[in-house]
Amino acid sequence: MLRNLLIGQRTISTASRRHFKNKVPEKQKLFQEDDEIPLYLKGGVADALLYRATMILTVGGTAYAIYELAVASFPKKQE
Amino acid sequence: MTHQSHAYHMVKPSPWPLTGALSALLMTSGLAMWFHFHSMTLLMLGLLTNTLTMYQWWRDVTREGTYQGHHTPPVQKGLRYGMILFITSEVFFFAGFFWAFYHSSLAPTPQLGGHWPPTGITPLNPLEVPLLNTSVLLASGVSITWAHHSLMENNRNQMIQALLITILLGLYFTLLQASEYFESPFTISDGIYGSTFFVATGFHGLHVIIGSTFLTICFIRQLMFHFTSKHHFGFEAAAWYWHFVDVVWLFLYVSIYWWGS
């Protein structure tokens, strides 16, 4: 019990059935690899896809917003 | 490979502040398009890109802390200051709405009938669902404290149970409040009573949803063994936020529901 007081510890898994495994050490190794890959891409392919999607939507969306602004700035005259 | 000789976190460049700022542009111009031109495309695009930004930004914070070890004690201290300052700013945000409520209710104008609640308003009975809501949030404050102590004592299963109870109570509050909104005899356009009631309780409800989301993220992180008995600041930040949401409700209940009826 004294050990609990002295050292913060992750619960040693006594998992059974469909319970979760502690994958933190693996992740720590993956994200500490000295490979110059930026953090937001370091997780793998999914990171790159998500990044690309976010960039395309924000930059594209900004272009669309400016277009709508241009359209709204020149209202159609009612005959 | 050079290493830093200090305990602070020099954050690496990230694209998320840019995408966050652009998403804010899309949300605001999207609102204008919705209000004036009946198109929801920009608004939806803005909400989507905002969500994507938040997910990836906070995912990266988790990577920096839990996986890369950047959250040393001085860094954690800074994060604590940050969360406290943020919650303080939210206190001032709500203070404005309480000011508005008291401004109109302490000196009701002749147009309202010279009394509060104004003529024509049937307020909700504070001893019915609003009282239940109060007990639900108070109970959730107890369960989150239980979760915290379980975490500090390394009791994994109890922590998971107590946090789950907290989240379910939050959801219960939200459902009850939604049903109250649906059944309410007055609306937001029913004069100053309706405005102050729905803007104050509405923003509170939004904060309950935000808090419940934060707690759910903590729940997932606990399942994934991210928290230790000594280092779990994400959970503490969520707990502080949750207590703040509870306290705001108590003020709302006493001022608007109880005194205001």
Side-chain angles (χ1 to χ4, degrees), chain B residues 118-130:
Chain B
T119 311
I121 297 284
T122 32
L124 300 169
N125 186 342
L127 299 175
E128 290 178 2
V129 174

Side-chain angles (χ1 to χ4, degrees), chain B residues 156-203:
Chain B
R156 178 177 168 83
N157 285 335
Q158 275 206 25
M159 194 282 188
I160 289 170
Q161 279 172 40
L163 184 50
L164 184 62
I165 288 169
T166 309
I167 294 168
L168 291 174
L169 286 169
L171 250 46
Y172 187 33
F173 175 94
T174 303
L175 290 171
L176 283 168
Q177 194 68 324
S179 124
E180 281 284 272
Y181 269 33
F182 195 69
E183 299 287 338
S184 171
F186 54 86
T187 73
I188 195 173
S189 47
D190 283 325
I192 193 62
Y193 184 91
S195 301
T196 49
F197 181 89
F198 284 106
V199 170
T201 61
F203 271 117

